[in-house]
C-alpha cells in the first residue's frame, strides 16, 4: 500500500495481519510482518507505529504464545543492517535511537546497549562489544565503553578484552576497527615475544598493500634484540581467464651465541618460491607455467616452521616452461629453465635454458586421397626432435661465481626415429624401426700421458657425432580362461603379453669414426680407450662403444579371478585382481665377447582388497662371482647354475607395501558410468592461503585418515650385501567433532631408530583455534602452542608459546 503524506519522500508500508489508522492522532499501526520503506531505508518488525505528525516510526517485537519475543526490528540504512530489540527513527531529521542492537561488520559483529544515529549517517554507541563470534552470547569480545561508527571504520574510546565474561587486564586507551569491504591497505601487527637464543623479538610485522584488483603485496619483517633480523615479501596476482600465481621471497640473518666467541654462529639464508598458472583458454596453442623453489642449504632448518617435511626435505626442484604449437602442423616448440638442488651436500644443477623443437609423427608415403586398402609402407612414420641444452653442475657456494661460469656445458641433439607396424598371421604385430641421432658439442677433450699421470685438456671448438641403430620388435597378446566353478570362484582369467625385439648398432669406438681415442694409462705402457665427448656425457652422452647385436625379451602377465556374488537382485560376477602385472625381461648381446646374457629383471604389482598396494621387484644375475686369493670379488663368465646348481643369483630385490585408509575407502564404489558431483566451497584466495600455510588449516570433513608404507630392500652386487627396512606412517583422527590429532612417524629397522616424528593437535573453539605442534625427539625437536582468533580481521589477537630446536637450556 502506498500512502502519500507531508513527508518529502513517499513512505511505503504493508503488514501481513492488519493496518490500523488513527486519523485523529495521525497514527498508523502495523501488525505482524510489517514492512516500512522510505528512500534507502527499510524497517521490518512484527509491530510498527508511524506518527505522521511527528514523522516518527517506532518498531519492536511481540511475544508469542509461549512468551518468547519474535519479529524483532531489522533496520537497514544504505546497506547497513541493524538487528535490535526496539528502535525509533525520525524521517525528517534522519536521526534514530536503537536499543540492544546487533550489526554485522564484515567478519565481525558489533553489539551495543544504546545506539544513536544522526543525519550524517554516523552511529554513536554506548557499552558496545566488538567480536568475531556469531553467538548471541559471544565467547569473547572487545568491550567498547563508547564508540563512533563512521562510513568505513569504528573508532572507540577505552577498550578492553573480555573472554567468557571475564575481563582481562588487556586494555587500550582507544580502538580502531576498519569496516571497509573489498581492497584495502594497512599495517600488519607484529608478534611480540622472546626466543631463548635470539632474544626479544618483533616478528611478522609489516604492511599490506592492496595494490589493485589484480595484485597485492605483503611486506613483513623480523627483528631480534641480539642482532638477528629478516624480511619477506608475498604477492598474489590473478587476471581472470588469463593467468594467476604468487611469489614469496625471504631473507634471514640469524646470529647464535656471543660475537667473538667460539660458539658464535651466523647464518644468512634466502628463499624464492614462485608459482604461475596460465588459463588454457587464454592463448590457444601457447602455454607458460612456473614452479620455482630455490633456497639456501639451511634455509628451512634455520627458520620457524611447524612442518617437519619442510625441515627434513633434501631436494628442491624448479621449472619455468614455455610451449608453443602451431595449429594444423606437426610442429611444436618447448622451452624451459630447470633447477635441481640437494640440500644435504649442496650440489646444484641448472638448465639455463633447455629448448626442444619437435615434429610429431608424419607419414610421408600415405597418399592424401588414398583409394583402397592401406599398404604397409603407408604406415611408415617419421618424427624429428632437436634438443638444445645449456647446463651447469656445481655447488651452491660456487654458484654464479666467476670460476664456475666456465663449467657450463652446452650442446644440441638431433633425433630422427623412423618406424612402422603391420600384422603377421593376423595376431602378431611387427614393428621395424631405424633411429638416427646426431650430437653437436662445442668442446671436446684430449687425454695424454705425462710420464706419471693421465692429464685431460679441454679443447674448445665445434664437434659433431652421428649414431644410428635399427631393428624390429614383435608382440602379441594371448588370452586364457580356466573354468573352476567351486567355492564361488567362476574362473581364472590370464592375459599374457610376450614381446621380442632385435636391434643392431655398429661399434662407434672404431678409429674410422673419430669419436674415441687411445691413451697410455700406466707406466707399463698399457693403453685405454676414451671418448672425446666424456666431458659432455651428462648432456646427451657419447656414441656407444662396442658393437651391439641385441636380442631382448619381455613377458608380461595379468591375472584376474572371477567370483560369483549373490545380491538381492540375483547373482553378479565380480573381478578380483591377483596380479595387475607380473613382468620378466632381459636381453642377449650376440656381439659380446663373453657374458652375453644381461641381468634378468622381474617385477610384480597387485592390489589386495582394493586397498593395499604391493610392488615387488628383483634383479637376477645368471653369472657367478669369483673371489681371488687377495679377497677381491668379481663377476666371471661362468654360469651360476654350473657353480652351485642355482639357476640365477639374486642381485637385488625390494618390496613396497602401502595403503591409504579413510572412511571413504570402505564405502561402496560409484556405479560405473556415474559422474560424481563436486562442489568447490573455497575461492582462489582461500586456496592460496591453505597451500601457503597448510599447518594453519585442518580438514574436519574426514573423521580419520591413515597412510602406511613399508619398504624392504636387499642389494648384493658383489661380495657385500646390504639390507634396508623401514615403515612410515602418517594420518589424523578426529577424537570428537572439535578435537583432531595428526601424526607423522616411522621406524628404521636397519638403523634401529625412529624416523622424524611430528604430532599435531587441533581444537576447534568455535571462534578460536588451538594448534599444538610437537616434534618430540631427533635433531629438530621443538614445540609450539598457538591460540588465535579464527577470523582474519583479528588475526593478531593470539597467544603463542614455542620452543625451537636451536634453543638451549
Amino acid at each position: 500500500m502506498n500512502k502519500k503524506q507531508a513527508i518529502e519522500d513517499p513512505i511505503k508500508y504493508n503488514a501481513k495481519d492488519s493496518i490500523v489508522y488513527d486519523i485523529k492522532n495521525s497514527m498508523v499501526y502495523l501488525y505482524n510482518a510489517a514492512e516500512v520503506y522510505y528512500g534507502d531505508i527499510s524497517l521490518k518488525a512484527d509491530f510498527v507505529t508511524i506518527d505522521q505528525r511527528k514523522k516518527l516510526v517506532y518498531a519492536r517485537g511481540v511475544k508469542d504464545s509461549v512468551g518468547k519475543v519474535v519479529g524483532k526490528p531489522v533496520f537497514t540504512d544504505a546497506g547497513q543492517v541493524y538487528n535490535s530489540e526496539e528502535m525509533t527513527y525520525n524521517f525528517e531529521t534522519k536521526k534514530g535511537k536503537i536499543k540492544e542492537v546487533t550489526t554485522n561488520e564484515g567478519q565481525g559483529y558489533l553489539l551495543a546497549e544504546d545506539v544513536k544515529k544522526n543525519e550524517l549517517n554516523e552511529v554513536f554507541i554506548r557499552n558496545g562489544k566488538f567480536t568475531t563470534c556469531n553467538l548471541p552470547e559471544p565467547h569473547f569480545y572487545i568491550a567498547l565503553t563508547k564508540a563512533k561508527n563512521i562510513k568505513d571504520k569504528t573508532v572507540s574510546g577505552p577498550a578492553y578484552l573480555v573472554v567468557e565474561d571475564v575481563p582481562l587486564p588487556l586494555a587500550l586507551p582507544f580502538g580502531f576497527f576498519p569496516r571497509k569491504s573489498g581492497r584495502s591497505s594497512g599495517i600488519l601487527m607484529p608478534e611480540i615475544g622472546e626466543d631463548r637464543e635470539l632474544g626479544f623479538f618483533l616478528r611478522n610485522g609489516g604492511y599490506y598493500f592492496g595494490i589493485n584488483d589484480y595484485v597485492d603485496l605483503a611486506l613483513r619483517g623480523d627483528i631480534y634484540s641480539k642482532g638477528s633480523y629478516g624480511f619477506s615479501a608475498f604477492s598474489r596476482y590473478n587476471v581472470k581467464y588469463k593467468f594467476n600465481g604468487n611469489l614469496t621471497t625471504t631473507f634471514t640473518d640469524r646470529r647464535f651465541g656471543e660475537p667473538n666467541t667460539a660458539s658464535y654462529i651466523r647464518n644468512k639464508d634466502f628463499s624464492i618460491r614462485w608459482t604461475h598458472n596460465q588459463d588454457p583458454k587464454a592463448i590457444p596453442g601457447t602455454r607458460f607455467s612456473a614452479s620455482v623453489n630455490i633456497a639456501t642449504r639451511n634455509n628451512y632448518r634455520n627458520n620457524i616452521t611447524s612442518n617437519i617435511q619442510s625441515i627434513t626435505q633434501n631436494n628442491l626442484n624448479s621449472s619455468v616452461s614455455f610451449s608453443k604449437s602451431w595449429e594444423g602442423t606437426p610442429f611444436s616448440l618447448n622451452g624451459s629453465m630447470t633447477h635441481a638442488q640437494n640440500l644435504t651436500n649442496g650440489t646444484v644443477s641448472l638448465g639455463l635454458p633447455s629448448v626442444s623443437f619437435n615434429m610429431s609423427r608424419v607419414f610421408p608415403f600415405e597418399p592424401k586421397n588414398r583409394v583402397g586398402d592401406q599398404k604397409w609402407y603407408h604406415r611408415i612414420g617419421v618424427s624429428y626432435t632437436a634438443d638444445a641444452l645449456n647446463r651447469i653442475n656445481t655447488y651452491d657456494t660456487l654458484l654464479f661465481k666467476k670460476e664456475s661460469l666456465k663449467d657450463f656445458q652446452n650442446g644440441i641433439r638431433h633425433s630422427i626415429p623412423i618406424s612402422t607396424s603391420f600384422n603377421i598371421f593376423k595376431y602378431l604385430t611387427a614393428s621395424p624401426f631405424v633411429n638416427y641421432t646426431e650430437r653437436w658439442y662445442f668442446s671436446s677433450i684430449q687425454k695424454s700421458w705425462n710420464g706419471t699421470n693421465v692429464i685431460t685438456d679441454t679443447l674448445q671448438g665445434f664437434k659433431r657425432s652421428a649414431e644410428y641403430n635399427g631393428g624390429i620388435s614383435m608382440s602379441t597378446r594371448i588370452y586364457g580362461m580356466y573354468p573352476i566353478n567351486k567355492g564361488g570362484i567362476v574362473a581364472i582369467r590370464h592375459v599374457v603379453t610376450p614381446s621380442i625385439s632385435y636391434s643392431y648398432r655398429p661399434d662407434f669406438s672404431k678409429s674410422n669414426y673419430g669419436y674415441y681415442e687411445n691413451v697410455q694409462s700406466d707406466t707399463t705402457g698399457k693403453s685405454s680407450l676414451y671418448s672425446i665427448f666424456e666431458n659432455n656425457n651428462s648432456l646427451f652422452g657419447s656414441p656407444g662403444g662396442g658393437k651391439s647385436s641385441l636380442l631382448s625379451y619381455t613377458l608380461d602377465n595379468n591375472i584376474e579371478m572371477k567370483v560369483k556374488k549373490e545380491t538381492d537382485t540375483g547373482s553378479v560376477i565380480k573381478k578380483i585382481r591377483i596380479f595387475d602385472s607380473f613382468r620378466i625381461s632381459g636381453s642377449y648381446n650376440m656381439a659380446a665377447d663373453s657374458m652375453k646374457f644381461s641381468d634378468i629383471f622381474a617385477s610384480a604389482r597387485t592390489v589386495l582388497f582394493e586397498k593395499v598396494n604391493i610392488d615387488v621387484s628383483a634383479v637376477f644375475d645368471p653369472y657367478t662371482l669369483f673371489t681371488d686369493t687377495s679377497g677381491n670379488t668379481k663377476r666371471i663368465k661362468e654360469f651360476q647354475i654350473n657353480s652351485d646348481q642355482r639357476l640365477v643369483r639374486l642381485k637385488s630385490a625390494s618390496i613396497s607395501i602401502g595403503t591409504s585408509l579413510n572412511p571413504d575407502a570402505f564405502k561402496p564404489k560409484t556405479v560405473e558410468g556415474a559422474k560424481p558431483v563436486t562442489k568447490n566451497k573455497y575461492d582462489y584466495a582461500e586456496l592460496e592461503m591453505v597451500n601457503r600455510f597448510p599447518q594453519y588449516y585442518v580438514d574436519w570433513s574426514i573423521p580419520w585418515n591413515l597412510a602406511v608404507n613399508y619398504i624392504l630392500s636387499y642389494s648384493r652386487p658383489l661380495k657385500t650385501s646390504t639390507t634396508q627396512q623401514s615403515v612410515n606412517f602418517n594420518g589424523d583422527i578426529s577424537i570428537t567433532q572439535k578435537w583432531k590429532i595428526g601424526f607423522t612417524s616411522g621406524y628404521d629397522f636397519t638403523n634401529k631408530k625412529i624416523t622424524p616424528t611430528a604430532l599435531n593437535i587441533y581444537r576447534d573453539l568455535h571462534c578460536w583455534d588451538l594448534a599444538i605442534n610437537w616434534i618430540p625427539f631427533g635433531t629438530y625437536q621443538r614445540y609450539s602452542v598457538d591460540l588465535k582468533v579464527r577470523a582474519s580481521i583479528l588475526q593478531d589477537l593470539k597467544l603463542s608459546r614455542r620452543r625451537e630446536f636451536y634453543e638451549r637450556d
Side-chain angles (χ1 to χ4, degrees), residues 245-515:
N246 62 74
L247 173 66
T248 304
T249 60
T250 66
F251 174 82
T252 58
D253 185 339
R254 303 289 195 203
R255 307 179 188 191
F256 302 94
E258 294 297 328
N260 302 319
T261 63
S263 61
Y264 181 70
I265 300 174
R266 184 176 183 181
N267 294 316
K268 292 184 178 181
D269 296 294
F270 76 88
S271 70
I272 300 174
R273 300 192 68 173
W274 176 36
T275 300
H276 179 91
N277 301 293
Q278 177 184 304
D279 192 309
K281 299 178 182 178
I283 308 176
T286 302
R287 184 165 180 80
F288 176 79
S289 63
S291 177
V292 176
N293 187 7
I294 300 174
T296 50
R297 194 181 307 183
N298 296 310
N299 177 75
Y300 295 103
R301 297 181 178 93
N302 290 333
N303 288 286
I304 296 171
T305 176
S306 60
N307 190 346
I308 192 171
Q309 285 76 19
S310 295
I311 296 175
T312 58
Q313 65 183 323
N314 292 322
N315 297 286
L316 300 179
N317 294 279
S318 305
S319 175
V320 178
S321 61
F322 170 83
S323 63
K324 170 70 177 177
S325 61
W326 286 269
E327 186 177 0
T329 73
F331 302 109
S332 63
L333 178 69
N334 297 280
S336 66
M337 293 185 289
T338 60
H339 151 264
Q341 181 179 359
N342 188 303
L343 299 179
T344 302
N345 56 29
T347 57
V348 177
S349 177
L350 298 178
L352 302 171
S354 171
V355 179
S356 178
F357 177 78
N358 304 281
M359 181 187 75
S360 59
R361 196 177 186 201
V362 297
F363 301 89
F365 303 108
E366 171 76 9
K368 288 185 178 180
N369 300 304
R370 176 171 52 85
V371 178
D373 295 335
Q374 189 182 47
K375 307 297 182 182
W376 68 269
Y377 54 85
H378 291 160
R379 292 192 290 270
I380 295 177
V382 181
S383 57
Y384 169 75
T385 300
D387 297 307
L389 180 58
N390 183 51
R391 187 168 67 191
I392 183 173
N393 297 313
T394 184
Y395 290 90
D396 52 8
T397 54
L398 301 176
L399 195 60
F400 301 125
K401 291 188 177 180
K402 185 178 180 180
E403 56 267 30
S404 68
L405 296 180
K406 61 181 177 62
D407 295 329
F408 268 99
Q409 299 173 301
N410 37 65
I412 300 173
R413 178 180 60 190
H414 306 269
S415 302
I416 305 176
I418 304 173
S419 64
T420 186
S421 65
F422 48 86
N423 292 332
I424 301 177
F425 308 123
K426 190 177 180 179
Y427 299 109
L428 188 64
T429 302
S431 303
F433 62 88
V434 175
N435 296 314
Y436 177 81
T437 301
E438 184 165 316
R439 302 174 179 88
W440 294 354
Y441 291 131
F442 302 95
S443 68
S444 58
I445 65 168
Q446 185 178 61
K447 294 184 179 182
S448 60
W449 177 257
N450 66 357
T452 306
N453 298 302
V454 175
I455 60 174
T456 302
D457 295 317
T458 300
L459 306 179
Q460 301 298 327
F462 176 78
K463 286 283 186 178
R464 62 169 290 278
S465 69
E467 182 179 15
Y468 46 87
N469 65 73
I472 186 171
S473 66
M474 290 182 288
S475 65
T476 188
R477 182 167 291 186
I478 303 170
Y479 297 87
M481 187 75 73
Y482 308 93
I484 296 179
N485 293 319
K486 291 183 180 180
I489 301 175
V490 178
I492 299 292
R493 182 176 182 266
H494 185 191
V495 181
V496 184
T497 308
S499 65
I500 187 170
S501 65
Y502 172 76
S503 64
Y504 176 81
R505 186 197 66 202
D507 182 2
F508 290 101
S509 64
K510 289 184 176 181
S511 58
N512 58 300
Y513 290 104
Y515 306 147

Side-chain angles (χ1 to χ4, degrees), residues 589-600:
N589 189 355
M590 294 181 286
D593 295 331
S594 61
M595 292 190 287
K596 297 183 178 183
F597 285 97
S598 72
D599 289 339
I600 301 172

Side-chain angles (χ1 to χ4, degrees), residues 18 60 69 227 304 352 363 437 568 608 650 796:
S18 59
R60 60 171 173 79
V69 178
I304 296 171
L352 302 171
F363 301 89
T437 301
D568 295 338
L608 296 181
L650 181 61
D796 298 308

